[in-house]
């Protein structure tokens, strides 16, 4: 008998004290190209009044329950809906507009699947895109794949057949963590699982994420995976996958704990703040921690410096850098502060006295406020897109007339020119927009990854100090342009891998090697006696 693909879809949003994000989640459901047939919000005993958010929307059904945990809240939503398929969305996450349509298309091609899932993206707490494609295919044996790790990665990317999820027992309310991983393992033994690479959801990274409580997560993920020991042991292939998965989980969370410890040490320099994460990491994987301690001790004993001798041929140790994919795909945002920000902010701090009077900044006015302080009389923001809520001027920096002539005492243009194909025109318009004597403070990428997200289609250039000087001297007088490059081979390597500022020794960033420019910075001053219209 033929199995028909699901024809109706419900979305269940669970919330616990995430009312500040809930409107975003609801909006993302209502923006679907194929609308949901049901939309239910389950409040798991929140104290931040989610009803004030849901009350705005006539399409939303709100269910309150006393706090019982995420698994119980999802089961409540599962019982409340009647649709043939169901998607579970956490209140702090979002669906992409084509999510429901993509899930139904996949079910149409593989209707016997217990669930289907796609890829996902990661966003910051404020909704900024961090990285745009996280996806692992399910492979030919879904159960084996899940024994090795959580191939899904983000629960909102999953669309379940409701009857299959109910038959599998729903979510286990005894699990305070990893209840979704438990469902994947159980369902993979009973039903086909199908995946597709299209991103369908956005995972929001913020300080309240449960997944950041690394020691608890490791305990529960090993507990959930450990439940499969008897079943997995019945087959040599799945037995190997089970053992491999345990090693993978320990290694992953040990790495997260060590990163937490490194960050705490660099930020505070106190053992009291650092020791808890180190103890957690040692409990997770003592061998890895001891090997790391040995490597650190060895480096200290050999007293590495800028003048390190070149290793003998064949003796180079790549360690964590021996990989074809970077450690992070998002410049380091997911791990902390991108390394290039250290150089950008050093440059602005050195020239903060130029940030005065009427100041224009690109995108937002964060640097204007931070480095200009009470010297700033008026702050303007230029944004290329119409409708940006904080922009005072909208348009393309390279287009004549977008900026008023002779209007600004200072322009702060960080990490922007490489996104403009006609850079020469942009520099001419900057010159024209400055008052006589005004200063442009500009930074541009040198050695850099290329954005995979919002800016990937408009990322045109990287510059050297020499090309930056020629570019600006075409509009500004030679003596009015000063150029500085920041970076060295260590900084460039770390930045290319997406290693965060908090993870490195900042003293190593202060050494400048012009052959490895991570950031090229320009201070260009318009001569006091030259009118802006001459630069047309």
């Amino acid at each position: 008998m033929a199995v028909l693909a699901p024809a109706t879809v419900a979305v269940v949003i669970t919330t616990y004290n995430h009312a500040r994000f809930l409107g975003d989640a609801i909006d993302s459901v209502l923006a679907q190209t194929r609308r949901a047939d049901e939309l239910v919000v389950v409040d798991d005993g929140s104290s931040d009044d989610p009803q004030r958010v849901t009350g705005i929307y006539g399409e939303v059904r709100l269910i309150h329950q006393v706090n019982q945990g995420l698994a119980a809240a999802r089961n409540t939503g599962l019982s409340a809906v009647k649709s043939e398929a169901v998607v579970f969305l956490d209140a702090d996450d979002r669906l992409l507009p084509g999510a429901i349509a993509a899930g139904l298309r996949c079910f149409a091609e593989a209707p016997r699947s217990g669930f289907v899932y796609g890829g996902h993206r990661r966003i910051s707490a404020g909704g900024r895109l961090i990285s745009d494609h996280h996806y692992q295919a399910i492979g030919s044996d879904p159960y084996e794949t899940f024994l090795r790790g959580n191939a899904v990665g983000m629960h909102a990317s999953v669309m379940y057949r409701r009857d299959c999820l109910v038959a599998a027992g729903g979510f286990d309310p005894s699990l305070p963590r990893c209840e979704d991983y438990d469902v994947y393992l159980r369902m993979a033994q009973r039903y086909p699982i199908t995946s597709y690479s299209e991103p369908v959801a956005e995972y929001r990274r913020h300080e309240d994420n449960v997944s950041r409580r690394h020691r608890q997560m490791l305990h529960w993920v090993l507990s959930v995976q450990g439940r499969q020991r008897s079943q997995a042991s019945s087959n040599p292939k799945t037995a190997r996958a089970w053992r491999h998965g345990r090693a993978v989980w320990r290694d992953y969370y040990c790495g997260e704990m060590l990163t937490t410890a490194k960050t705490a040490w660099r930020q505070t320099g106190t053992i009291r703040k650092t020791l808890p994460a180190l103890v957690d990491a040692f409990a997770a994987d003592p061998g890895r921690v001891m090997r790391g301690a040995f490597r650190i001790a060895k480096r200290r004993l050999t007293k590495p410096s800028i003048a390190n001798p070149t290793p003998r041929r064949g003796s180079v140790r790549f360690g964590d850098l021996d990989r074809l994919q970077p450690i992070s795909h998002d410049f380091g945002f997911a791990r902390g502060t991108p390394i290039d920000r250290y150089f950008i902010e050093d440059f602005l701090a050195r020239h903060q006295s130029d940030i005065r009077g009427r100041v224009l900044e690109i995108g937002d006015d964060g640097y204007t406020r931070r480095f200009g302080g009470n010297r700033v009389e008026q702050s303007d923001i230029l944004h290329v897109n119409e409708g940006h809520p904080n922009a005072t001027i909208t348009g393309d920096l390279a287009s004549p007339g977008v900026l008023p002539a002779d209007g600004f005492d200072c322009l702060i243009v960080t990490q922007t020119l490489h996104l403009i194909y006609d850079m020469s025109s942009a520099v001419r318009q900057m010159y024209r927009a400055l008052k006589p004597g005004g200063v442009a403070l500009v930074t541009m990428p040198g050695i850099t990854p290329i954005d995979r997200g919002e800016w990937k289609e408009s990322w045109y250039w990287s510059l050297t100090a020499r090309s930056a000087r020629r570019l600006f001297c075409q509009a500004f007088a030679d003596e009015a342009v000063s150029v500085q490059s920041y970076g060295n081979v260590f900084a460039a390597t770390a930045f290319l891998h997406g290693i965060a500022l908090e993870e490195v020794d900042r003293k190593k960033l202060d050494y400048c090697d012009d052959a490895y420019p991570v950031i090229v910075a320009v201070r260009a001053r318009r001569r006091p006696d030259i009118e802006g219209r001459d630069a047309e």
Side-chain angles (χ1 to χ4, degrees), residues 204-276:
R204 192 189 302 265
R205 295 181 66 95
H206 58 88
E207 290 305 315
D208 295 338
N209 286 142
V210 168
S211 58
R212 290 194 172 185
R213 301 166 193 169
H214 305 309
R215 185 170 184 174
Q216 294 176 18
M217 289 297 295
L218 177 60
H219 168 79
W220 287 109
V221 77
L222 290 178
S223 175
V224 165
Q225 201 244 16
R227 294 178 174 188
Q228 302 298 319
R229 182 174 186 173
S230 177
Q231 176 66 27
S233 298
S234 63
N235 179 301
K237 189 177 179 183
T238 53
R240 286 193 299 272
W242 185 85
R243 291 192 297 272
H244 176 79
R246 297 185 80 72
V248 165
W249 285 121
R250 285 195 177 95
D251 184 68
Y252 172 76
Y253 280 110
C254 179
E256 293 293 297
M257 295 169 197
L258 287 173
T259 297
T260 299
K262 291 176 186 176
T263 300
W265 177 255
R266 292 194 170 107
Q267 289 179 343
T268 69
T270 63
I271 194 66
R272 182 175 64 86
K273 295 287 187 180
T274 308
L275 190 58

Side-chain angles (χ1 to χ4, degrees), residues 146-161:
F146 283 122
L147 286 173
R148 292 179 179 274
N150 185 353
V152 172
M154 182 192 177
H155 195 226
S157 68
V158 175
M159 182 180 286
Y160 294 95
R161 287 194 74 108

Side-chain angles (χ1 to χ4, degrees), residues 10 36 49 80 189 247 253 267 280 284 288 307 321 356 367 506 511 535:
D49 191 17
Q189 297 177 59
Y253 280 110
Q267 289 179 343
D280 288 348
R288 177 172 177 174
L321 304 186
R356 57 180 177 77
Y367 286 147
R506 299 189 186 195
Y511 169 68

Side-chain angles (χ1 to χ4, degrees), residues 12-16 40-45 63-80 88 90 155 165 169-180 182-183 186:
V12 174
I13 301 176
T14 52
T15 184
Y16 177 67
V40 173
V41 173
V42 180
D43 168 27
D44 188 37
I63 300 173
H64 294 284
Q65 68 177 35
V66 296
N67 181 242
Q68 299 173 52
L70 183 55
R74 287 176 176 161
N75 287 338
T76 296
L78 180 63
S79 300
F88 294 92
D90 293 344
H155 195 226
L165 179 56
F171 299 92
D172 185 347
S174 72
L175 292 172
R177 309 276 187 273
C178 305
E179 70 295 324
D180 50 355
D182 176 64
V183 164
R186 287 188 279 117

Side-chain angles (χ1 to χ4, degrees), residues 40-63:
V40 173
V41 173
V42 180
D43 168 27
D44 188 37
S46 299
S47 59
D48 59 358
D49 191 17
Q51 188 167 1
R52 65 184 168 82
V53 180
T54 60
I56 301 172
Y57 303 90
E59 305 94 326
V60 177
R61 177 156 55 116
L62 177 63
I63 300 173

Side-chain angles (χ1 to χ4, degrees), residues 296 298-311 488-491 505 507-513:
I296 292 170
K298 186 176 180 181
R299 287 199 299 269
R300 291 290 185 269
L301 290 172
T302 55
K303 296 182 179 179
S305 68
I306 292 169
N308 277 349
T310 302
N488 55 60
V489 69
F490 170 83
D505 181 351
K507 293 179 180 178
K508 293 182 179 178
L509 302 180
D510 294 333
Y511 169 68
C512 180
D513 183 342

